[in-house]
Amino acid sequence: MGKTKKNIIYQMTYQILAIALPLITTPIVTRGLGADGLGQYSYTNSIVAYFSIFALLGVNNYGTREISKANAEGNRATVSKAFCGIYYLQVFLSLIVILGYYGTVLLCLKKYKSLLLVQGLQLVGTMFDISWLYFGLENFKVTVTRNMIVKLLCAIVIVLFVKKPTDIYLYALTLILSAAVSNFILLISAKKYIDFCLVPIKDMVKNLKPNIILFIPVVAASIFNYTDKIMLGQLAGTVQTGYYEAMEKIINVPMACVSAIANVMFPRISSLVKQCEKKVVIDKYVAGSLYGVIWFAVACFFGMLAVSDQFVPLFLGDGFKNAIIVVQLGCLILLPKSFRIIINSECLLPYERDKGTILSTIIAACSNVVFNAIMIPRFGAVGAETATILSEVMYCAVMLLIIRKQFKVVRVILTSMPFGAFGYVMYRSIMLVKSAINLGVVACLCIEVILGGAIYIVFSVGYLAVINSHNLRREKN
């Protein structure tokens, strides 16, 4: 089995766990903390997230790319030098940001101050985060096994001890410590792959400029990802923020699988570009990824749209019935978000087309702020999600425009359109079953998911068989 396939399997294994655990912990958290408690956590976590991006700058993408290039030379010393130059800069910036964060909380912020002080411990864990080293080395087995163990322990603590709104501090500390422990273990394990060595200050400083260049889209993306929650907390209250956070927890389950593909393919394609591999070979990787995420996103969109009115109250509790419409709207984000994640990780970043990433992210972030300011005061969480959908479509459209000459994306879109028809057939089938049977909610959901999934898969397999047969005949001729 090829290395790329193994890495995808490792990532998918981890993502299956990442999908399964929230299915257990989210209902407990939403019932224990309630919409207000979950909103407080989401609001304070978003503030800390803004500080953490200044500690990391653009190191996740920059570090992965540089380590991948250094590793292509097959020299441990080269990889070690590249790693140390980047990581020491990360530690230095993290220490400055930690001081700045606690100074800001103590002197300027009054609301939820105690929770913000606890949440700030995330920044210490960020200082140890070197997952980019393993991604660059295309060694996903190490990160997957460590993270799986830590996540399981974290889930056990949440299930056993998070029972009431006052447990919000325990919930926050559990998530913070689990991430910090995982990062620290990876840091210790790094000695197997690199040698920690002293590097001249100039080797650290030279990483600053490209980090800042890739930091620009990170800042813009953080505005895109976190401003809606902060604006919701300020303009509509923590209950609406709780509805929005609950929606994200559900939508992030299928998105985790898309991220797994992107995480594996980014260093793989970066390495191929470094080795001057033929473009036709790289394009096959890109096309395969796009077909895969389109097929998956369409299935999740129509499936979740059909069952959300039953699933949300069952999964989150009766206190989140008002989140049903937010989740239904959130389904619309799956396809454009999946598409642009793959385009960015496989068509822009490996080719160092950082300006394209920056431009598209800034446009999306600015539009998101404007749409949020208009819609949140009137529609709350529904307005925030509508703003995110519109911004995500713009995000994807700009990226498609940027790569139009590099990759024939129109062909992929056209040949993927039948998946939309299959998804609609699945949706209608589920709705018919829902109206025809009168069983318990759990039994109904099981029947609907199995039937809908079977219909979608059968149609998709038949279509792919026809396409493959056509391609084989064309190659023979």
Side-chain angles (χ1 to χ4, degrees):
M1 185 183 297
K3 186 177 182 180
T4 301
K5 290 182 179 179
K6 285 184 178 179
N7 285 333
I8 290 177
I9 290 173
Y10 285 135
Q11 275 289 300
M12 285 299 184
T13 302
Y14 172 66
Q15 295 303 339
I16 287 171
L17 179 69
I19 289 169
L21 290 181
L23 293 176
I24 300 170
T25 59
T26 297
I28 294 170
V29 172
T30 53
R31 286 169 172 80
L33 300 184
D36 185 53
L38 188 61
Q40 289 181 35
Y41 173 81
S42 177
Y43 175 71
T44 54
N45 185 63
S46 297
I47 292 174
V48 178
Y50 271 115
F51 281 85
S52 68
I53 65 173
F54 285 92
L56 290 174
L57 293 181
V59 74
N60 284 325
N61 287 329
Y62 175 72
T64 299
R65 189 169 68 192
E66 293 305 302
I67 294 297
S68 177
K69 290 179 179 179
N71 192 47
E73 298 180 15
N75 189 319
R76 182 183 173 109
T78 303
V79 175
S80 299
K81 184 178 180 182
F83 168 79
C84 291
I86 297 170
Y87 181 61
Y88 295 163
L89 178 64
Q90 177 182 328
V91 171
F92 176 73
L93 293 172
S94 296
L95 292 172
I96 294 176
V97 168
I98 290 170
L99 292 174
Y101 173 81
Y102 279 105
T104 301
V105 171
L106 292 172
L107 298 177
C108 304
L109 300 178
K110 296 181 180 179
K111 198 173 184 180
Y112 310 124
K113 179 176 285 188
S114 57
L115 186 55
L116 283 167
L117 290 173
V118 172
Q119 292 272 40
L121 295 174
Q122 288 184 47
L123 299 173
V124 178
T126 298
M127 185 166 59
F128 300 133
D129 185 3
I130 59 165
S131 54
W132 46 270
L133 168 67
Y134 295 90
F135 289 171
L137 294 173
E138 298 185 62
N139 188 341
F140 292 87
K141 182 179 179 180
V142 175
T143 56
V144 165
T145 52
R146 301 296 193 280
N147 286 337
M148 284 176 67
I149 294 169
V150 172
K151 278 189 174 292
L152 281 170
L153 293 174
C154 177
I156 291 171
V157 172
I158 291 173
V159 168
L160 292 178
F161 300 108
V162 177
K163 304 293 184 182
K164 53 188 183 297
T166 52
D167 291 333
I168 187 172
Y169 296 96
L170 174 62
Y171 176 65
L173 273 173
T174 301
L175 295 177
I176 292 166
L177 290 176
S178 65
V181 169
S182 179
N183 290 341
F184 189 68
I185 291 173
L186 291 177
L187 182 63
I188 294 174
S189 301
K191 293 180 180 180
K192 297 179 182 178
Y193 311 100
I194 56 97
D195 299 310
F196 286 91
C197 57
L198 294 175
V199 295
I201 293 178
K202 66 178 183 179
D203 284 351
M204 292 172 52
V205 173
K206 76 175 184 180
N207 291 309
L208 187 60
K209 182 179 178 180
N211 248 309
I212 290 174
I213 291 173
L214 286 175
F215 174 60
I216 297 172
V218 171
V219 172
S222 70
I223 294 172
F224 185 74
N225 292 327
Y226 299 114
T227 297
D228 42 14
K229 296 176 189 177
I230 294 176
M231 292 179 73
L232 263 175
Q234 292 290 335
L235 301 175
T238 52
V239 173
Q240 289 293 317
T241 310
Y243 294 152
Y244 190 85
E245 176 74 9
M247 176 277 300
E248 281 203 333
K249 285 182 178 295
I250 293 174
I251 297 300
N252 284 342
V253 171
M255 287 309 306
C257 293
V258 177
S259 297
I261 295 173
N263 288 340
V264 171
M265 296 309 299
F266 172 38
R268 177 89 296 261
I269 292 182
S270 294
S271 180
L272 291 174
V273 171
K274 174 69 174 178
Q275 297 169 30
C276 300
E277 183 62 76
K278 292 180 180 179
K279 187 176 183 298
V280 66
V281 175
I282 297 175
D283 285 353
K284 284 184 178 180
Y285 277 110
V286 177
S289 297
L290 287 174
Y291 280 125
V293 299
I294 290 172
W295 179 86
F296 181 72
V298 169
C300 292
F301 165 66
F302 283 106
M304 292 173 67
L305 191 64
V307 304
S308 57
D309 59 331
Q310 298 169 307
F311 178 74
V312 170
L314 175 68
F315 186 58
L316 300 177
D318 291 336
F320 284 81
K321 284 186 177 180
N322 290 335
I324 292 174
I325 183 63
V326 185
V327 173
Q328 290 175 333
L329 274 174
C331 296
L332 292 170
I333 208 171
L334 289 169
L335 188 56
K337 187 172 184 178
S338 300
F339 214 84
R340 63 94 174 163
I341 286 174
I342 296 300
I343 290 172
N344 189 48
S345 63
E346 298 188 25
C347 295
L348 294 178
L349 291 176
Y351 291 92
E352 299 189 29
R353 297 189 66 182
D354 301 333
K355 290 182 180 179
T357 300
I358 292 170
L359 176 64
S360 58
T361 310
I362 288 176
I363 291 174
C366 292
S367 63
N368 189 242
V369 172
V370 173
F371 291 146
N372 275 324
I374 295 171
M375 296 181 180
I376 286 177
R378 186 172 180 181
F379 302 109
V382 171
E385 184 55 27
T386 303
T388 302
I389 292 166
L390 294 174
S391 302
E392 196 68 65
V393 170
M394 291 183 64
Y395 204 163
C396 185
V398 174
M399 282 195 174
L400 290 175
L401 188 64
I402 291 169
I403 68 160
R404 67 190 185 281
K405 295 181 180 179
Q406 176 185 344
F407 180 75
K408 295 179 181 178
V409 72
V410 175
R411 181 180 178 183
V412 173
I413 294 173
L414 290 176
T415 52
S416 298
M417 290 182 71
F419 294 138
F422 306 153
Y424 182 72
V425 172
M426 175 182 69
Y427 170 79
R428 294 304 305 170
S429 301
I430 293 174
M431 298 305 289
L432 285 172
V433 170
K434 189 188 296 186
S435 62
I437 60 177
N438 186 23
L439 299 173
V441 175
V442 175
C444 284
L445 278 172
C446 291
I447 293 171
E448 290 161 11
V449 170
I450 293 171
L451 177 64
I455 289 172
Y456 186 73
I457 290 171
V458 168
F459 275 98
S460 298
V461 169
Y463 172 66
L464 292 174
V466 172
I467 291 295
N468 288 334
S469 177
H470 173 73
N471 289 337
L472 286 173
R473 286 198 303 269
R474 188 173 62 179
E475 288 177 4
K476 288 181 180 178
N477 295 333

